[in-house]
């Protein structure tokens, strides 16, 4: 039986455990053994984005050490963390004769969840079912950072009973942007308002995302505005049967 390593991410682990459970259940149904290293921590993206490169390097070294003790692909329900592993680690250790090759080796093992299903396993239909309209928000790092867009859309189009409708200006950031939402809260709030307005224009009661940061940010905005729409991670949609 093939196996993968699950990198759960900080936000999923702390706030959205149902997403992690859905990822595991889906992979197991596909005959994939899921292994989880309890020594994993944050990937270091918040520190990297804040310009705290020395702190980010220490976290990256820890992460590399943890996963070098494992084998197999690394699957994560987050395009932003996948981007951190593949690209930002290379930047952190550029020119470092010891750590740059190790960072590159780790990055080659990493897949965002929908990317792994479609590109590695060749799976687009998981037998999922969902009644009603769905619309999809492509998270910034998933879309532009690792060029994953067709994969989640293909998976959603095969969900029985669901109708996928286009989100206006889907490519626009939701306003989370990692530390950007903390450093520029006014700008973040305006982007969030636009995203929610575009969601309302679809008349879809459910917005699907691939990253817990977007999930948390948009969900919070909807709650504060008293809106009825919900936000779910794609893994939870694909796990509905």
């Amino acid at each position: 039986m093939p196996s993968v390593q699950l990198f759960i991410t900080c936000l999923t682990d702390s706030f959205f455990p149902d997403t992690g459970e859905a990822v595991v259940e889906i992979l197991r149904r596909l005959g994939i053994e899921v292994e989880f290293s309890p020594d994993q921590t944050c990937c270091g993206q918040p520190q990297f984005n804040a310009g705290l490169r020395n702190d980010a390097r220490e976290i990256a070294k820890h992460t590399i050490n943890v996963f070098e003790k494992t084998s197999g692909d690394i699957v994560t329900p987050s395009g932003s963390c996948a981007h951190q592993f593949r690209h930002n680690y290379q930047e952190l250790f550029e020119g470092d004769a010891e750590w740059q090759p190790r960072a590159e080796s780790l990055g080659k093992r990493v897949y965002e969840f929908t990317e792994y299903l479609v590109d590695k396993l060749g799976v687009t239909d998981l037998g999922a079912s969902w009644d009603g309209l769905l619309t999809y928000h492509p998270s910034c790092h998933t879309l532009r950072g690792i060029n994953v867009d067709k994969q989640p859309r293909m998976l959603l189009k095969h969900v029985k009973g669901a109708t996928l409708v286009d989100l206006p200006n889907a490519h626009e950031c939701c306003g989370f942007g990692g530390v950007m939402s903390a450093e520029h809260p006014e700008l973040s709030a305006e982007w969030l308002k636009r995203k929610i307005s575009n969601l309302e224009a679809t008349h879809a009661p459910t917005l699907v995302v691939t990253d817990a940061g977007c999930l948390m940010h948009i969900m919070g905005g909807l709650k504060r505005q008293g809106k009825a729409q919900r936000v779910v991670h794609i893994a939870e949609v694909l796990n509905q049967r």
Side-chain angles (χ1 to χ4, degrees):
M1 178 184 293
S3 64
V4 299
Q5 303 296 322
L6 175 64
F7 182 77
I8 191 61
T9 84
C10 299
L11 293 181
T12 303
D13 184 45
S14 299
F15 300 108
F16 306 107
D18 288 349
T19 296
E21 291 176 5
V23 169
V24 172
E25 290 174 9
I26 289 169
L27 291 173
R28 285 177 174 169
R29 282 205 307 272
L30 294 171
I32 307 294
E33 181 181 353
V34 182
E35 298 178 357
F36 179 84
S37 173
D39 294 328
Q40 62 181 273
T41 59
C42 177
C43 67
Q45 184 184 163
Q47 293 81 358
F48 180 91
N49 291 343
L52 304 173
R53 299 302 170 90
N54 289 334
D55 292 341
R57 285 188 193 94
E58 290 306 307
I59 296 172
K61 287 179 179 179
H62 172 78
T63 301
I64 291 169
N65 281 326
V66 167
F67 283 101
E68 281 182 340
K69 299 172 185 175
T70 69
S71 61
D73 295 324
I74 301 167
V75 177
T76 179
S78 167
S80 59
C81 291
H83 180 270
Q84 174 76 358
F85 287 136
R86 287 190 197 169
H87 301 291
N88 295 346
Y89 277 18
Q90 322 305 318
E91 182 177 333
L92 282 172
F93 297 115
E94 184 176 4
D96 188 313
E98 178 188 357
W99 286 97
Q100 186 173 8
R102 295 170 70 179
E104 290 175 353
S105 180
L106 177 71
K108 291 176 181 177
R109 296 172 57 193
V110 173
Y111 289 85
E112 182 271 334
F113 175 60
T114 66
E115 178 187 33
Y116 183 75
L117 293 176
V118 176
D119 294 352
K120 187 65 182 282
L121 300 183
V123 173
T124 56
D125 189 343
L126 289 162
S129 61
W130 188 283
D131 293 330
L133 300 179
L134 295 173
T135 191
Y136 170 67
H137 163 67
S139 303
C140 293
H141 279 105
T142 305
L143 176 64
R144 287 177 280 275
I146 59 173
N147 299 315
V148 168
D149 188 48
K150 72 179 189 299
Q151 297 90 332
R153 296 181 188 276
M154 291 172 67
L155 289 160
L156 290 172
K157 285 181 179 178
H158 283 92
V159 175
K160 297 173 181 64
T163 300
L164 185 63
V165 295
D166 290 334
L167 178 69
N169 300 309
H171 63 282
E172 293 183 353
C173 179
C174 71
F176 181 66
V179 296
M180 193 279 294
S181 59
E183 294 178 341
H184 304 283
E186 296 86 2
L187 182 60
S188 173
E190 288 303 311
W191 281 351
L192 178 59
K193 287 179 184 177
R194 289 173 59 173
K195 185 60 65 176
I196 291 175
S197 177
N198 288 328
L199 169 58
E200 291 185 303
T202 69
H203 302 290
T206 306
L207 176 67
V208 183
V209 299
T210 59
D211 206 295
C214 299
L215 198 166
M216 181 173 66
H217 189 61
I218 302 172
M219 179 188 292
L222 289 169
K223 183 176 181 180
R224 288 191 295 274
Q225 293 184 30
K227 306 293 185 181
Q229 293 90 339
R230 60 183 300 210
V231 190
V232 296
H233 191 280
I234 192 170
E236 295 187 59
V237 174
L238 299 177
N239 199 38
Q240 291 292 318
R241 299 173 67 80

